[in-house]
Amino acid sequence: MSRNNSMVTEQLTDSAYYILLSLLVPRHGYAIMKYVEELTEGEVTIGPATLYTLIKKMVAADYITAGDIEDDRRKPYCVTEKGKQIIDNDMERRSRMARHGINAIQQAKEVSDHEKK
């Protein structure tokens, strides 16, 4: 599935997932980027172009809302109820994917062990 269709199917990219997690508490753009970096211990960084492109898409999809502040540089965003449901669904999907990977590795190991006998 292409990244362009991910918002339509409500399957989040990694960046969108972390942005939504960061907005469980209202934050402005720079604070979102810093929070994601801190949460992931530097494993994930989101640049401004990615951040603001995804923010526009998530506002349009009603995953987040933008606060009413005149200074666009410090506009706070916050996750909506729909966004919280999307987070829950995506966490379940990601957990299933991890279990699938564990099962596939275990099955491959069993096949390999069986072939050695």
Side-chain angles (χ1 to χ4, degrees):
M1 173 171 298
S2 77
R3 288 177 173 252
N4 293 338
N5 294 332
S6 64
M7 291 295 186
V8 173
T9 62
E10 299 183 354
Q11 181 176 327
L12 300 174
T13 63
D14 292 348
S15 294
Y17 175 75
Y18 283 113
I19 291 168
L20 281 179
L21 288 177
S22 74
L23 294 176
L24 290 169
V25 172
R27 288 188 168 87
H28 59 79
Y30 181 75
I32 294 168
M33 292 186 289
K34 294 305 291 178
Y35 179 80
V36 169
E37 191 171 348
E38 290 170 9
L39 178 68
T40 64
E41 298 175 347
E43 188 175 329
V44 176
T45 57
I46 298 173
T50 299
L51 175 69
Y52 289 105
T53 297
L54 287 172
I55 282 176
K56 285 179 185 178
K57 289 180 180 181
M58 288 190 281
V59 167
D62 191 37
Y63 295 176
I64 64 174
T65 59
D68 294 328
I69 293 187
E70 292 179 21
D71 182 3
D72 282 343
R73 295 181 347 181
R74 294 284 185 193
K75 183 184 292 184
Y77 300 93
C78 188
V79 70
T80 63
E81 287 304 315
K82 181 178 180 180
K84 289 177 186 176
Q85 185 61 52
I86 298 300
I87 292 170
D88 289 343
N89 293 345
D90 208 63
M91 287 190 326
E92 289 175 20
R93 181 185 68 84
R94 289 169 186 267
S95 292
R96 282 191 310 273
M97 289 174 63
R99 284 193 309 273
H100 297 158
I102 291 166
N103 290 341
I105 289 169
Q106 182 61 38
Q107 289 172 4
K109 183 179 184 294
E110 290 169 4
V111 168
S112 177
D113 290 347
H114 181 54
E115 289 175 351
K116 290 179 183 178
K117 293 182 180 181

